[in-house]
Amino acid sequence: METPTQRSGTISPPVFYSSAILIAILVLFASIFPSTAQSFFGDLQSWIVDKVSWFYILAVALILLSTMFLAFSRYGDIKLGPDHSEPDYKSTSWFAMLFSAGMGIGLMFFGVAEPVMHFIAPPVGDPNTVEAAKEAMKLTFFHWGLHAWAIYAMVALILAFFAYRHGLPLTLRSALYPLIGERIYGPIGHAVDIFAIISTVLGIATSLGYGVLQINSGFNYLFDLPIGTNIQVMLIIGITALATLSVATGLDKGIRILSEMNLVLAVILLTLVLALGPTALLLKSFVENTGGYLSEIVNKTFNLYAYNPTDWLGGWTLLYWGWWISWSPFVGMFIARVSRGRTIRQFLTGVLLVPTGFTFMWMTVFGNTSIYLIMKKGMTQLADTVNADSSLALFAFLEHFPFSSLLSMVAVCMVILFFVTSADSGSLVIDMLASGGKTETPLWQRIFWASSTGVVAITLLLTGGLGALQSLTIASALPFSVILLVAIWGLLKALHIDSTKRVLRQQSAIHHSRQHKSTGGWQRRLRSMVMFPRRSHVNRFIDEVVMPALEEVAGELRKQGYAVAVESRDDKRIRLEVQHNAEVNFVYEIRPRAYVQPDFIMPDEDDTETEGREERKYFRAEVYLLEGGQDYDIMGWSRDEVIDDILDQYEQHMHFLHVVRE
């Protein structure tokens, strides 16, 4: 089905120009009137925390429960793409990319800082005690665990399902398709994509602005590079230039390679700190921390401190929930972009468990080691440094290890690479949003958005507007959380329809298979079971039986006023497509597919040398629908049987359209 965005040029003008103008207005407001902007957006954020904190907590809990339900439900077998599709990226590359884009930079910034800050200033109880240490790690796990990745996973799942399974554009508007249908291509859809672009640009820019503080601190420690605004501006320019180069080279080269480098460096640094630190204690702590997190996850999920009011909740948990939600359009779209071909169960299991497990190990190694140094080794200056400036936490921590300069160098490289990866993956997402979901766009568009985030970051850094727009970004989580909950309901509705359609197709295939067996007697059934046709046999069957059957059905449908096309390709794929205008078209396709022959099959005596190259292969004439391969073979069927199968599948398709219209 051709969409309005597909018929236009390389950009979606309402989204591209509107988002660029609104971003410019917001940046100018925060730059020219930084105090006013900070006060206004800060008050807005405070009001949200004070009045609707219960909604944030409930929304994130519902998102986590929804992901767990989908992972274990019957919907878990549905693929994010056609039924025959395979993952575009191997698992290691996939994990590396979603981890780097998701929260890699946060681990560098908070791996030491957050556990120490909870340890010296817990929400309840006495600080600097064993109980405070346990609670500090439970809270850190809680903030960086399943809840955060569930938000990212849910947004990514919604987008990937509708884009790869139903052919909708890979933009945020597609999440609303079950609710408003074709109106996603109108003002409502434009508004949702504009919101996502603004949120992504401002989120990356503010993170980049604050992130250079940590990079500057690392260079100051390593090379005595002065800490100052001019240096930080130059660092932003350098990071933006690297991100622009990366995004210009594309996803398969730049972003994938950088993400894999990030993961390798992270494993190296983690292993070194684990080996040089209190190794046995850290391994025991990891197990205990994980158990403590799992045992209290329900209580902490719904704990609003209603009976013991504290400002701690707004400064930590709600801030994190708002930040994860506000970043989810960007991270979710990127994860969706690299996740085509996986089943829902594979996708959710991978996105939830693998990054969470690595994050828990990271937080244990860096957090528990920091607390160990403060409690057991008396290095209270580490706590003082963290309390004074959290951007120095990692480097102050690494000072207490052998080869501290080498470790700090690795850490600085990681911080830079994480920021470059976030910037270039963010630019890729913005470019897709602004071009109606297209993945192949002109180079200038990718360069424009990559450089724009750097310009925004520099402007805000120089004028003091970073805090204002960070508050705005977090406040934007409120409307988006409402959109996300509505989209989840729409996803569940669509999954129910999709699952029902799969069951109907399977029943139809079984029914027709049995009918086919009964029409030819047991001898014909036996021949079909033991037949291992060559390519030439299948090609001849397609030419002599399938093509006439498709043409006959197409001719009858044309008499009924339908627009029908029958296409044949050089590789002998043959396709019937019935146009349904704004609704989903019907596609029935036959493809010859090669398989390796079983060992007990002996080659014919008259095989030629050329045929001998394929003596280990046989071919099937398999049925493909719009949803992908159906895993059944029609080789040897008569023309009437092929027509019956087409009609069976078309009948199921018409029933599917009827269900969707309800």
Side-chain angles (χ1 to χ4, degrees):
M1 180 175 63
E2 187 179 53
T3 67
T5 53
Q6 289 172 328
R7 291 193 296 267
S8 63
T10 58
I11 62 172
S12 174
V15 177
F16 185 95
Y17 295 114
S18 299
S19 56
I21 292 171
L22 288 173
I23 289 169
I25 292 172
L26 288 170
V27 171
L28 287 174
F29 175 54
S31 302
I32 298 173
F33 308 104
S35 299
T36 304
Q38 178 64 61
S39 176
F40 177 76
F41 295 133
D43 290 344
L44 177 62
Q45 181 182 330
S46 299
W47 179 85
I48 290 173
V49 168
D50 183 48
K51 301 299 183 183
V52 293
S53 58
W54 62 270
F55 179 75
Y56 269 26
I57 296 296
L58 187 60
V60 174
L62 289 174
I63 292 169
L64 177 59
L65 290 173
S66 298
T67 57
M68 300 297 289
F69 164 74
L70 291 174
F72 293 103
S73 71
R74 63 192 175 99
Y75 305 136
D77 294 329
I78 296 175
K79 277 196 174 183
L80 300 177
D83 290 337
H84 64 279
S85 58
E86 297 296 331
D88 291 339
Y89 299 96
K90 61 182 181 179
S91 295
T92 51
S93 297
W94 183 57
F95 292 142
M97 285 190 284
L98 65 90
F99 178 76
S100 296
M103 57 181 60
I105 190 62
L107 300 186
M108 300 298 295
F109 199 88
F110 288 102
V112 172
E114 181 166 349
V116 171
M117 294 171 80
H118 292 326
F119 173 64
I120 62 178
V124 293
D126 297 326
N128 302 309
T129 62
V130 173
E131 288 303 315
K134 291 181 179 180
E135 187 66 15
M137 295 311 302
K138 290 177 186 177
L139 290 171
T140 302
F141 274 33
F142 176 60
H143 290 152
W144 294 84
L146 293 174
H147 294 76
W149 285 102
I151 295 169
Y152 292 159
M154 183 55 70
V155 175
L157 175 60
I158 292 169
L159 297 175
F161 175 78
F162 289 114
Y164 299 137
R165 189 79 179 173
H166 292 283
L168 297 177
L170 186 58
T171 64
L172 203 61
R173 69 176 70 204
S174 297
L176 301 181
Y177 185 79
L179 308 175
I180 63 175
E182 294 297 310
R183 284 179 291 173
I184 65 169
Y185 300 114
I188 297 176
H190 296 333
V192 171
D193 284 348
I194 290 168
F195 169 82
I197 289 177
I198 294 173
S199 177
T200 301
V201 170
L202 298 184
I204 293 174
T206 51
S207 295
L208 192 58
Y210 284 121
V212 295
L213 301 177
Q214 189 178 33
I215 299 174
N216 200 174
S217 299
F219 282 133
N220 175 259
Y221 171 78
L222 290 171
F223 311 115
D224 290 326
L225 188 70
I227 295 178
T229 304
N230 291 336
I231 298 296
Q232 290 158 10
V233 168
M234 294 180 66
L235 288 172
I236 291 177
I237 293 174
I239 291 172
T240 304
L242 290 174
T244 303
L245 178 64
S246 174
V247 79
T249 58
L251 178 62
D252 291 335
K253 294 181 180 179
I255 298 176
R256 179 182 62 82
I257 293 173
L258 286 178
S259 298
E260 291 175 351
M261 289 174 60
N262 281 334
L263 188 60
V264 170
L265 288 176
V267 171
I268 290 173
L269 184 60
L270 179 71
T271 304
L272 289 174
V273 175
L274 176 63
L276 297 172
T279 307
L281 172 65
L282 294 177
L283 294 176
K284 289 190 291 185
S285 298
F286 173 73
V287 175
E288 185 170 339
N289 293 341
T290 304
Y293 165 75
L294 294 175
S295 66
E296 296 187 19
I297 188 171
V298 175
N299 177 58
K300 285 190 173 354
T301 295
F302 295 98
N303 187 5
L304 282 162
Y305 295 93
Y307 297 99
N308 187 19
T310 174
D311 293 335
W312 182 91
L313 181 69
W316 283 101
T317 302
L318 293 180
L319 200 64
Y320 271 125
W321 280 193
W323 191 249
W324 301 146
I325 294 173
S326 66
W327 267 61
S328 61
F330 147 52
V331 180
M333 272 198 65
F334 181 76
I335 294 176
R337 174 68 178 82
V338 299
S339 299
R340 184 182 186 275
R342 300 181 187 276
T343 66
I344 289 177
R345 184 171 294 110
Q346 291 171 341
F347 171 80
L348 290 177
T349 302
V351 174
L352 283 178
L353 299 185
V354 176
T356 299
F358 187 86
T359 299
F360 284 178
M361 191 66 193
W362 183 278
M363 290 299 189
T364 296
V365 169
F366 287 85
N368 276 103
T369 304
S370 301
I371 294 173
Y372 170 81
L373 292 175
I374 296 170
M375 285 186 68
K376 302 299 183 181
K377 299 298 183 180
M379 297 178 182
T380 55
Q381 68 271 22
L382 176 58
D384 296 335
T385 301
V386 171
N387 194 42
D389 186 357
S390 56
S391 68
L392 296 172
L394 179 62
F395 304 105
F397 166 78
L398 294 175
E399 285 181 355
H400 301 288
F401 285 83
F403 316 109
S404 59
S405 296
L406 175 62
L407 294 177
S408 296
M409 179 65 75
V410 173
V412 170
C413 291
M414 286 181 61
V415 172
I416 294 174
L417 285 176
F418 274 128
F419 267 114
V420 171
T421 308
S422 295
D424 59 14
S425 55
S427 300
L428 179 73
V429 166
I430 297 166
D431 188 36
M432 285 194 295
L433 286 165
S435 58
K438 294 183 178 68
T439 56
E440 299 295 332
T441 58
L443 182 60
W444 73 265
Q445 286 181 211
R446 286 174 277 163
I447 293 176
F448 172 80
W449 289 114
S451 56
S452 294
T453 55
V455 171
V456 171
I458 291 172
T459 304
L460 296 174
L461 182 67
L462 293 175
T463 59
L466 283 169
L469 290 191
Q470 184 183 40
S471 298
L472 174 62
T473 302
I474 296 172
S476 69
L478 179 62
F480 184 68
S481 60
V482 177
I483 295 173
L484 183 54
L485 290 177
V486 174
I488 291 173
W489 180 80
L491 174 68
L492 293 173
K493 180 181 176 182
L495 285 172
H496 174 70
I497 294 172
D498 197 291
S499 179
T500 301
K501 187 178 181 183
R502 293 178 75 216
V503 172
L504 291 173
R505 288 202 315 269
Q506 291 167 359
Q507 291 174 347
S508 174
I510 293 172
H511 170 75
H512 191 80
S513 176
R514 289 173 177 170
Q515 184 186 46
H516 166 66
K517 292 172 184 176
S518 65
T519 57
W522 68 268
Q523 293 93 344
R524 180 179 174 186
R525 180 180 176 185
L526 178 61
R527 287 197 301 271
S528 297
M529 292 169 60
V530 300
M531 182 173 60
F532 295 92
R534 299 176 190 155
R535 180 190 292 273
S536 58
H537 296 157
V538 174
N539 290 349
R540 186 166 59 250
F541 169 73
I542 290 175
D543 289 336
E544 296 177 357
V545 178
V546 180
M547 175 61 89
L550 266 61
E551 291 287 5
E552 194 170 341
V553 173
E556 189 62 32
L557 284 170
R558 292 188 186 109
K559 292 179 183 178
Q560 304 299 323
Y562 286 87
V564 188
V566 177
E567 300 175 356
S568 178
R569 290 176 29 170
D570 292 339
D571 59 1
K572 285 301 179 181
R573 291 186 187 183
I574 188 167
R575 176 187 181 98
L576 168 75
E577 182 168 2
V578 184
Q579 301 289 331
H580 283 272
N581 296 325
E583 295 185 315
V584 181
N585 294 341
F586 171 71
V587 172
Y588 184 93
E589 184 174 313
I590 301 299
R591 300 184 188 178
R593 286 197 65 188
Y595 293 87
V596 177
Q597 284 188 1
D599 291 336
F600 60 82
I601 298 300
M602 298 296 293
D604 294 339
E605 294 181 0
D606 60 348
D607 275 350
T608 65
E609 182 66 24
T610 301
E611 290 172 334
R613 296 171 185 171
E614 291 190 350
E615 78 276 6
R616 303 306 302 164
K617 290 183 180 180
Y618 69 97
F619 289 79
R620 285 162 42 111
E622 294 194 355
V623 175
Y624 281 69
L625 303 178
L626 190 63
E627 298 81 10
Q630 301 306 298
D631 296 324
Y632 70 95
D633 177 25
I634 66 168
M635 179 64 188
W637 291 17
S638 69
R639 182 188 303 186
D640 288 341
E641 288 171 337
V642 174
I643 291 174
D644 285 344
D645 191 57
I646 298 170
L647 297 181
D648 285 344
Q649 296 292 1
Y650 190 53
E651 185 177 33
Q652 299 305 327
H653 183 77
M654 295 297 285
H655 177 64
F656 166 71
L657 294 181
H658 168 72
V659 173
V660 172
R661 294 188 199 106
E662 291 182 345

